[in-house]
Amino acid sequence: MDSMANISGTALYIAFVLYFIATIFFGATVKQKKQDTSKSVSGAIGITITMIGFLVQIVYFVTRWIASGHAPVSNLFEFMTFFGMGLVFAFIILYFIYKLNILGLFALPIAMIVIAYASVFPTEISPLSASLQSHWLYIHVTTVSLSYGILSISFVAGLIYLIRQIDQTRRSKRTTWLEVVLVSLFVFVGFSIISLVFNVSGYSAEFEYSFNGETVTTDYHLPPIVGPNEGNLLTGDRMNPFFEAPGWMQGVEASRKFNTIIWSTLTGLLLYGVVRLILRKRIGAAIQPLLKKVKPDLLDEVSYRAVAIGFPLFTLGGLIFASIWAHYAWDRFWGWDPKEVWALVTWFFYAAFLHLRLSRGWHGERSAWLAVGGFAIILFNLIAVNLVLAGLHSYA
Amino acid sequence: MAKIKCECGHINPEGTVLCEACGKPVEENQHIDGNDKQKLLNMRYDGSARRSQTYNKSIIDKLWNFFSSVKVGVWLIVLALIASGIGTIFPQEQYIPANAVSRDPSIYYEDQYGIFGLIYYQLGFHNLYSSWWYLLLIALIGISLVVCSIDRFVPLYKALKRQKPRRHTQFLKRQRLFSQTDDVTDDDKAKLKSNLKKKRYKVYEENGHLLAEKGRFSRWGPYVNHIGLIIVLIAALLRMTPLMYMEEYVWVREGEQTVIPGTDSEYYLENKEFVLETYDKDDERYQEALEMQGDVVKNYQTNVAIYKDSGEQVAGAKPELDKVTEDEIRLNHPLEVDGFTLFQSGYQNNEFKNMTFKIHETDDNDEKSLGSFTIDLSSPKDKYELDNGFTVAVNQYYPDYELDEGEPRSKTNYPRKPAFVFSVHTPDGEEPEMSFVGVGNNVDPTGENDYKLGIEDFDMRYASGLSVKRDYTLPFFIIGAAIFMIGVIQGMYWQHRRVWIHPEGEGVMVAGHTNKNWFGLKKDIEQVIEDTDVEMVTDQQELK
Ligand code: HEM
């Protein structure tokens, strides 16, 4: 059993490295002089390595399934990793429709950010709680992840579109918002790096505080910038928090999560600052020249097509399969639990996207911004709803 | 009605933007689709005459136009989206945690979330999804999409049915994909036609003019999916009526039998056994996680027998029960009986099933048992005779003992904290001794007792929480969802593509239109004109 778990961990690691290598090959296509990038050798190598990486990640998935006795989609680590896999799979599908190399240069790093993000959450194999024990778990989660993956490709294409199209000669609201989007990607990277650093060093600081009238403890793995509201540091020899979480932050371990967010943001901003210093211009402006060759039309089309493919799939997995399962597991198919509501919000959002595009002619830049918004909602549902608005679905 | 006669001879209904037959723009109506401001024609509904764009006089016209506006529709969707999101900021009333200081919403929200919580509660957001305005919003979306669909479906259907292969050159030139080639051989023209057929286009011909079309049915996708949505909304309405939907909850203790609520006392349920399984702590796979999380429940279920009362249902008459079935109700595996469904929902383990007491001498430090007896807490007897000749009489029984201003009483009738006043009769017939014994209590009121009673053993009893539902609306939801899926797939995974070939002098004009996936259409045209002298179409709307 243990060896299976080991194989699984190694496979995930290899897949990650392969995605990285594939990204480099897709990057090389940018420099090519040829107009028609679809026949590029470097692109062909890139997609081949991507597919091998994907197969290796399937090895991760299968071996972990064998090791744990259930499909590995039951905690935040497993689910986010699977989402990363869905993203890569969606990229492969759209690559074969459009042969667009630049898509790989952006989609794979985002998949890597997702996987890196996932892997700093507890990775030990956990037993499946009673209500999760159903075939609908696999059916629901796989379809949702795949649809999220495809919808994320819409974001990727939209992002490339924005970087390609937004006028970077002078600062404007649009350049600023684009930088905000890019900075948020840095914050995710920041989260992974800072968690990894302190995980390796084994940092731990324990606090005691009162929660719902009971005294509870929480274990910080990052130095406490913000401590629990009226908390007491138990571990000696650790720095004292600079300030306390405000009283209205009441969720489970709210202060620890808040602390993590602060650390991630700081690290992300630091990274961003360093990159800005090296580039000496907005990141959007720095990438823009590389995208000259890409046809904006095609990006717009890919972004829209991804929604067209992803929307029905999301309806099926995120609403219909979800309802069927909820019917069996919780005796009601719809219960206005935060996770369910956010699935509905996502669905409303993409319905609005489709209507705006179809009937009000929202193409190009507006459509691209909407694709960014959709991705933000997906991430919110994947991460914030679990960590902040805990309901029945809270895994972590 | 003012019909519009086109130069091609076709008679169009009032409000037509592009002639249904030949596509020639109807001069005075170009503003409707905004064609007068741009080069390309707006092809959204093929320039058909929509009621909403044509009439705007009576109040009905105005209402119709309001609801058929997609702008309004999108606003409604966005409002519903924002409202839904707001409802998740704090838990809804039904999700106030059981261990909260108070589950009374008027206290809970302010206590937990301060001033924001208070405002949230006062605005009624703690019950947002059943508030009148949220339901109104959903109802408006429903009305809007019905009106919208009717407004567009009928004219679009007619326009596509009446279209002719021969199109006006103005129509062709103002398509997004267009090319004109001056010299094309008859061979090449024939090749175009056969290539189009090879690409599985349906080709219609009129004097050498070709209309190649595929995937028209995908145009109906949105209307199909809207029908699905409407069915779902109607199902949701029906669900609010007791006739279609019944929901009850029942607690049954192990070994007990109870009438199933909501079945007019027709069905009975017996809890034969409640089973709770947790993961084995020694399971290698989960050791690490279990150490951190503690016990994890793997499964819980109730083994039940279901009975039906076959006798006349007269008040006070004893039911004649026939067993219907014996089965398990497990999480994720509900039990269906004659149209209603029983779900395993919760459990409690805070009641005693039985207690065993022993007697020992008061000054015996080892508390050596002189004899013991077991009380079944659901039906305690008056008197217990022990093997050693002692008799213990139950003078008082408090199933759920508490002191209320110095007076002992029972808080509930359930044996959650049982306490007894016993009198102990020794075999030698002396004056009986009184003892007060309960969980956490053992009092000798006189202080002179020779014998003492102690709790030797006890069993707890599970109560199983089952929800009972009868839901005749489920089939409607299923049908609605299925139709919705068919509709979206139809509209999203296929596209309506058209290519027009128009002989002009010695050459041809080629024009193309699709409702989505222009990339695919361009590829089709590329392959159709391959090996001919016909020029590739240019995309007249390319984003720069
Ligand atoms: C949550 C509710 C709704 C959902 C999920 C929904 C879904 C859809 C979908 C998937 C399409 C196809 C879009 C495409 O092919 O790109 C569509 C088209 C359309 N919807 Fe909706 N819709 C909703 C509400 C509405 C409302 C309220 C209106 C009314 C204003 C409306 C009017 C339309 C129209 C006019 C079309 C285009 C039909 C065509 O061009 O042939 N929809 N809808």
Side-chain angles (χ1 to χ4, degrees):
Chain A
M1 278 307 161
D2 236 12
S3 65
M4 272 297 170
N6 282 339
I7 295 175
S8 172
T10 315
L12 185 61
Y13 184 72
I14 296 176
F16 187 87
V17 173
L18 286 171
Y19 295 151
F20 181 72
I21 298 173
T23 308
I24 297 176
F25 279 96
F26 284 121
T29 63
V30 167
K31 293 275 173 218
Q32 282 165 3
K33 290 277 179 297
K34 266 188 300 185
Q35 253 297 323
D36 181 11
T37 58
S38 65
K39 302 211 173 60
S40 131
V41 177
S42 172
I45 298 174
I47 190 68
T48 311
I49 296 178
T50 307
M51 286 193 294
I52 297 172
F54 181 70
L55 290 179
V56 175
Q57 200 175 353
I58 288 185
V59 172
Y60 144 81
F61 189 76
V62 172
T63 47
R64 191 170 168 98
W65 189 327
I66 297 171
S68 66
H70 56 78
V73 286
S74 62
N75 60 30
L76 201 55
F77 159 70
E78 294 175 339
F79 191 75
M80 285 300 282
T81 316
F82 193 63
F83 168 52
M85 208 161 122
L87 222 162
V88 173
F89 186 55
F91 160 67
I92 294 174
I93 294 176
L94 282 148
Y95 183 86
F96 279 102
I97 302 179
Y98 291 102
K99 299 276 163 39
L100 193 59
N101 289 316
I102 196 75
L103 209 54
L105 183 58
F106 285 78
L108 290 177
I110 288 176
M112 282 157 58
I113 290 176
V114 168
I115 295 171
Y117 175 85
S119 54
V120 295
F121 285 93
T123 57
E124 71 268 356
I125 289 172
S126 46
L128 216 48
S129 70
S131 61
L132 292 184
Q133 298 194 7
S134 162
H135 292 305
W136 288 104
L137 169 69
Y138 318 141
I139 301 171
H140 162 65
V141 174
T142 44
T143 38
V144 172
S145 291
L146 185 58
S147 69
Y148 275 172
I150 296 176
L151 293 171
S152 307
I153 296 294
S154 158
F155 157 73
V156 173
L159 181 66
I160 305 176
Y161 182 93
L162 292 174
I163 300 177
R164 163 87 168 68
Q165 291 299 87
I166 286 180
D167 177 11
Q168 292 281 2
T169 52
R170 54 181 191 87
R171 205 170 124 188
S172 65
K173 248 203 309 220
R174 296 142 80 219
T175 58
T176 309
W177 276 109
L178 182 58
E179 291 300 289
V180 169
V181 173
L182 295 170
V183 167
S184 352
L185 294 176
F186 276 89
V187 169
F188 276 93
V189 177
F191 171 80
S192 308
I193 293 178
I194 201 74
S195 310
L196 194 68
V197 168
F198 282 99
N199 268 353
V200 169
S201 73
Y203 185 92
S204 156
E206 204 172 13
F207 282 91
E208 187 180 77
Y209 63 105
S210 130
F211 177 71
N212 271 344
E214 285 168 42
T215 303
V216 292
T217 59
T218 175
D219 195 7
Y220 276 52
H221 296 292
L222 294 171
I225 295 174
V226 53
N229 190 259
E230 297 178 11
N232 255 332
L233 183 60
L234 297 181
T235 320
D237 196 24
R238 294 283 185 234
M239 70 180 242
N240 266 311
F242 292 119
F243 62 98
E244 286 186 351
W248 52 265
M249 274 201 182
Q250 286 281 352
V252 189
E253 310 234 326
S255 65
R256 188 175 58 77
K257 290 166 187 168
F258 185 37
N259 190 54
T260 309
I261 292 173
I262 295 177
W263 268 106
S264 315
T265 311
L266 289 179
T267 319
L269 285 176
L270 184 72
L271 274 178
Y272 175 80
V274 169
V275 175
R276 272 295 288 260
L277 272 180
I278 297 173
L279 295 174
R280 303 201 154 273
K281 53 178 125 174
R282 282 187 295 275
I283 297 197
I287 305 178
Q288 192 170 51
L290 303 176
L291 305 178
K292 279 258 165 51
K293 251 182 354 188
V294 195
K295 286 204 196 120
D297 245 3
L298 193 57
L299 290 170
D300 181 57
E301 166 121 10
V302 172
S303 178
Y304 177 41
R305 192 82 189 280
V307 176
I309 298 174
F311 183 75
L313 204 59
F314 177 72
T315 313
L316 189 67
L319 296 178
I320 297 180
F321 288 162
S323 301
I324 297 177
W325 184 19
H327 170 77
Y328 289 120
W330 296 315
D331 73 35
R332 85 286 182 294
F333 59 87
W334 191 263
W336 300 107
D337 167 86
K339 194 95 186 173
E340 293 169 359
V341 174
W342 277 92
L344 184 71
V345 168
T346 313
W347 187 70
F348 275 149
F349 184 88
Y350 282 104
F353 177 113
L354 289 169
H355 286 95
L356 284 170
R357 191 159 171 121
L358 199 68
S359 285
R360 312 217 38 90
W362 279 33
H363 291 245
E365 192 174 327
R366 289 182 182 198
S367 165
W369 283 116
L370 285 179
V372 172
F375 187 65
I377 293 181
I378 290 178
L379 285 188
F380 186 84
N381 200 5
L382 277 174
I383 298 167
V385 173
N386 284 331
L387 297 183
V388 185
L389 312 171
L392 293 170
H393 286 79
S394 60
Y395 313 114
Chain B
M1 265 202 285
K3 303 269 187 194
I4 300 165
K5 186 167 180 190
C6 178
E7 66 178 43
C8 72
H10 185 76
I11 298 184
N12 292 292
E14 184 182 356
T16 301
V17 184
L18 305 173
C19 169
E20 292 173 329
C22 76
K24 177 167 190 269
V26 175
E27 194 109 20
E28 66 273 18
N29 284 342
Q30 290 313 294
H31 60 278
I32 293 179
D33 278 344
N35 292 337
D36 45 354
K37 297 196 196 80
Q38 58 196 37
K39 177 170 188 250
L40 295 185
L41 291 176
N42 182 341
M43 287 289 288
R44 217 168 295 139
Y45 306 101
D46 263 46
S48 58
R50 280 146 288 149
R51 187 187 199 288
S52 60
Q53 308 296 320
T54 312
Y55 307 104
N56 193 15
K57 295 227 169 59
S58 68
I59 180 91
I60 295 194
D61 292 343
K62 295 215 153 86
L63 269 177
W64 181 270
N65 296 354
F66 177 78
F67 283 116
S68 71
S69 152
V70 176
K71 196 165 163 186
V72 170
V74 171
W75 267 112
L76 292 172
I77 293 176
V78 170
L79 286 178
L81 178 164
I82 294 170
S84 306
I86 290 176
T88 63
I89 296 178
F90 300 135
Q92 289 290 296
E93 185 175 0
Q94 83 251 33
Y95 290 117
I96 295 179
N99 62 358
V101 180
S102 164
R103 296 202 64 189
D104 179 349
S106 62
I107 299 171
Y108 174 77
Y109 289 95
E110 187 175 8
D111 176 68
Q112 259 321 278
Y113 305 106
I115 181 76
F116 299 113
L118 182 66
I119 297 172
Y120 198 79
Y121 167 70
Q122 283 175 343
L123 290 175
F125 289 173
H126 63 298
N127 262 327
L128 189 145
Y129 305 108
S130 48
S131 67
W132 63 269
W133 58 271
Y134 190 79
L135 297 180
L136 181 69
L137 208 51
I138 301 294
L140 288 177
I141 291 180
I143 295 172
S144 176
L145 64 88
V146 170
V147 173
C148 213
S149 301
I150 297 172
D151 186 63
R152 289 158 170 84
F153 171 73
V154 178
L156 178 65
Y157 180 81
K158 287 186 182 153
L160 289 180
K161 213 174 140 184
R162 291 174 187 162
Q163 63 177 335
K164 294 257 165 60
R166 181 186 185 139
R167 290 260 140 170
H168 198 273
T169 51
Q170 257 207 65
F171 175 88
L172 297 170
K173 283 182 185 161
R174 295 175 70 186
Q175 291 300 315
R176 184 171 153 181
L177 298 185
F178 177 76
S179 78
Q180 183 160 12
T181 317
D182 291 335
D183 267 309
V184 180
T185 62
D186 285 348
D187 251 11
D188 277 0
K189 284 183 193 163
K191 226 187 230 164
L192 289 181
K193 183 173 167 188
S194 69
N195 281 352
L196 280 165
K197 279 191 173 149
K198 245 187 254 155
K199 296 227 57 109
R200 300 223 228 122
Y201 278 82
K202 235 186 183 160
V203 180
Y204 306 88
E205 191 164 2
E206 181 188 349
N207 298 334
H209 296 259
L210 300 185
L211 160 63
E213 184 176 21
K214 93 176 163 192
R216 191 196 291 182
F217 80 102
S218 84
R219 285 300 275 276
W220 318 133
Y223 309 103
V224 173
N225 84 43
H226 288 169
I227 291 173
L229 283 177
I230 284 298
I231 296 177
V232 169
L233 288 179
I234 291 175
L237 277 182
L238 288 178
R239 207 160 186 269
M240 295 178 184
T241 67
L243 211 62
M244 299 295 283
Y245 180 69
M246 171 277 283
E247 176 184 1
E248 299 282 351
Y249 200 92
V250 60
W251 285 100
V252 224
R253 291 167 181 77
E254 266 182 301
E256 279 189 0
Q257 176 179 313
T258 176
V259 64
I260 301 180
T263 62
D264 293 330
S265 305
E266 211 186 328
Y267 288 90
Y268 286 73
L269 169 135
E270 183 188 353
N271 178 347
K272 298 215 141 193
E273 191 189 9
F274 180 84
V275 184
L276 181 85
E277 294 167 78
T278 50
Y279 280 95
D280 180 3
K281 278 227 180 318
D282 299 327
D283 190 329
E284 265 179 47
R285 293 178 294 181
Y286 311 130
Q287 243 167 3
E288 211 180 324
L290 287 175
E291 260 165 39
M292 288 175 55
Q293 297 174 20
D295 272 343
V296 176
V297 175
K298 185 176 176 183
N299 174 39
Y300 54 97
Q301 69 181 59
T302 315
N303 298 344
V304 293
I306 309 284
Y307 303 94
K308 186 173 179 178
D309 183 0
S310 59
E312 293 276 312
Q313 292 200 20
V314 204
K318 227 180 142 45
E320 294 166 31
L321 296 185
D322 296 327
K323 191 184 273 182
V324 181
T325 180
E326 211 174 308
D327 212 329
E328 356 182 289
I329 305 175
R330 229 169 350 124
L331 217 61
N332 274 311
H333 298 271
L335 175 64
E336 233 182 285
V337 185
D338 294 350
F340 60 88
T341 312
L342 293 155
F343 296 85
Q344 181 70 59
S345 184
Y347 62 89
Q348 276 184 350
N349 189 22
N350 57 2
E351 292 180 10
F352 291 86
K353 186 174 183 181
N354 52 44
M355 273 184 158
T356 304
F357 296 90
K358 67 175 180 186
I359 300 186
H360 60 89
E361 286 175 19
T362 309
D363 29 5
D364 176 5
N365 283 337
D366 295 337
E367 304 190 351
K368 189 168 153 293
S369 172
L370 301 175
S372 63
F373 60 99
T374 298
I375 301 183
D376 176 353
L377 293 170
S378 54
S379 53
K381 290 195 282 193
D382 291 342
K383 207 187 269 175
Y384 293 86
E385 296 189 1
L386 277 64
D387 295 342
N388 60 359
F390 280 62
T391 306
V392 179
V394 178
N395 296 0
Q396 284 289 343
Y397 168 40
Y398 308 100
D400 193 2
Y401 170 78
E402 66 170 2
L403 266 182
D404 183 29
E405 299 180 358
E407 286 292 311
R409 61 172 207 135
S410 189
K411 201 158 48 173
T412 67
N413 288 329
Y414 305 114
R416 298 194 178 134
K417 196 181 172 198
F420 295 88
V421 177
F422 293 122
S423 57
V424 180
H425 303 257
T426 50
D428 45 19
E430 279 182 37
E431 192 65 359
E433 295 180 359
M434 302 287 276
S435 274
F436 177 81
V437 189
V439 178
N441 279 304
N442 199 332
V443 183
D444 170 0
T446 59
E448 294 171 359
N449 286 351
D450 294 333
Y451 300 99
K452 199 171 169 181
L453 286 159
I455 301 173
E456 192 178 53
D457 200 4
F458 60 82
D459 279 324
M460 301 294 285
R461 169 166 78 164
Y462 280 102
S464 171
L466 299 170
S467 73
V468 186
K469 303 217 168 170
R470 197 191 53 222
D471 191 349
Y472 294 128
T473 66
L474 279 182
F476 294 95
F477 281 104
I478 293 168
I479 292 169
I483 293 179
F484 179 82
M485 280 315 297
I486 292 171
V488 269
I489 288 176
Q490 180 179 345
M492 297 292 181
Y493 293 175
W494 279 270
Q495 301 95 33
H496 180 214
R497 301 177 186 181
R498 275 177 290 175
V499 178
W500 292 276
I501 311 275
H502 187 98
E504 179 80 5
E506 293 299 300
V508 291
M509 288 178 177
V510 178
H513 177 77
T514 177
N515 60 340
K516 45 176 71 90
N517 191 3
W518 293 85
F519 177 80
L521 178 62
K522 282 186 216 170
K523 251 182 28 189
D524 275 359
I525 297 179
E526 242 165 46
Q527 289 168 12
V528 165
I529 60 170
E530 219 173 21
D531 304 327
T532 70
D533 293 333
V534 178
E535 294 217 18
M536 180 55 192
V537 291
T538 45
D539 190 335
Q540 308 195 73
Q541 189 196 278
E542 213 156 322
L543 296 159
K544 284 284 156 357

